[in-house]
Amino acid sequence: MRKLILFFMLGAALTCGAKPKQKTAVVRLETTAGIIRVELSDETPRHRDNFLKIVREGVLDSTLFHRVIKDFMIQGGDPDSRVRRAADGSLLLPPRNRELGEGGLDYTLAPEFNLPWLFHERGALAAAREGDDVNPEMRSSSTQFYIVYGRSFGENSLGKVRAALEENGIEMNYEMWQAYLTKGGAPHLDGTYTVFGHVIDGMKVVKAIQATPTDSLDRPLEDVILLRAIVE
């Protein structure tokens, strides 16, 4: 009996001394179209910590979802798209003839690809970046991000995407295959853009934004503003 008591006392002591599991970071995006909540992945610490930093510093507040493509994604986070308020209280929006999407802070992030765990299924949160021709290291923008809506796939069409990925050494496993078949997404981006989180609430808002009419520069005709981002 004495040994049994000692065993339970030791177990209690070890439990009390165990490192508590950290709460996964969640960011609330308050937009003119509604609220989107995203959970950041601990498997991409550079991107997670950077996103938390720019959210806390207000870098994303009052910026536009400046690039929206139906059945693909919604993109925001360009500081050059910031909406300002005039003295009379009216909103001063970036001019329509100005192409957005080049703004950011004075650094980029090394990629953190984490396949097959983090991939471009519907609802994925990922980092935008410059193209391969000027960015062969596939480094991520310091501020710009996108949320995947994507499209639905049948087995034949998804099989063609999988074959193209395999030619570049990227494998689509069973879980990815099933997610793309049942939920949809943008699998052609896997292994080239860093996914660092996912939507946990507000996909109806994402769906509404991606379906909004846009101009020739993919900017919504009725601007969608990220009013503020908050770490919950």
Side-chain angles (χ1 to χ4, degrees):
M1 178 64 75
R2 185 168 181 271
K3 289 183 178 179
L4 188 60
I5 293 172
L6 288 173
F7 174 78
F8 280 115
M9 289 176 65
L10 179 60
L14 290 173
T15 302
C16 291
K19 184 178 179 180
K21 186 177 180 180
Q22 291 184 334
K23 180 182 177 182
T24 306
V26 174
V27 173
R28 176 186 177 98
L29 306 175
E30 298 182 357
T31 83
T32 50
I35 293 172
I36 305 167
R37 295 173 67 240
V38 294
E39 183 177 82
L40 310 185
S41 173
D42 291 335
E43 302 303 314
T44 51
R46 285 191 297 272
H47 286 71
R48 176 201 62 202
D49 293 349
N50 180 72
F51 200 71
L52 292 173
K53 171 181 174 289
I54 62 174
V55 166
R56 289 180 173 126
E57 292 176 352
V59 174
L60 302 180
D61 294 353
S62 300
T63 56
L64 298 179
F65 280 96
H66 63 274
R67 183 170 178 246
V68 170
I69 301 177
K70 182 175 173 58
D71 295 328
F72 182 26
M73 59 89 218
I74 63 174
Q75 181 174 335
D78 183 354
D80 293 343
S81 73
R82 192 173 308 282
V83 177
R84 306 186 187 281
R85 197 169 288 277
D88 62 1
S90 60
L91 295 180
L92 298 175
L93 294 160
R96 282 273 161 190
N97 60 359
R98 179 182 181 184
E99 187 169 1
L100 300 171
E102 298 297 323
L105 302 179
D106 60 355
Y107 62 89
T108 56
L109 302 172
E112 293 180 290
F113 306 139
N114 196 12
L115 295 172
W117 314 114
L118 298 172
F119 55 97
H120 284 82
E121 62 185 318
R122 181 166 290 171
L125 170 69
R129 65 174 179 84
E130 295 284 355
D132 293 354
D133 54 338
V134 296
N135 181 26
E137 295 180 351
M138 302 181 187
R139 295 183 67 88
S140 301
S141 167
S142 54
T143 64
Q144 292 193 46
F145 66 93
Y146 59 92
I147 298 174
V148 175
Y149 188 76
R151 67 181 184 88
S152 300
F153 289 88
E155 290 196 1
N156 289 337
S157 58
L158 187 58
K160 292 178 181 178
V161 177
R162 180 168 65 179
L165 289 173
E166 288 176 348
E167 288 181 3
N168 293 314
I170 300 168
E171 181 182 355
M172 182 185 296
N173 70 0
Y174 177 79
E175 288 75 16
M176 296 167 68
W177 175 268
Q178 287 299 314
Y180 286 130
L181 280 181
T182 58
K183 295 172 61 177
H188 65 286
L189 298 180
D190 286 338
T192 54
Y193 288 76
T194 296
V195 175
F196 65 97
H198 66 281
V199 174
I200 58 174
D201 188 29
M203 275 307 298
K204 287 184 179 180
V205 178
V206 176
K207 181 179 181 180
I209 296 174
Q210 63 88 36
T212 191
T214 58
D215 62 19
S216 60
L217 297 176
D218 298 322
R219 177 173 165 179
L221 296 178
E222 183 177 344
D223 283 311
V224 181
I225 305 171
L226 173 50
L227 300 169
R228 65 174 181 165
I230 304 168
V231 178
E232 292 189 345

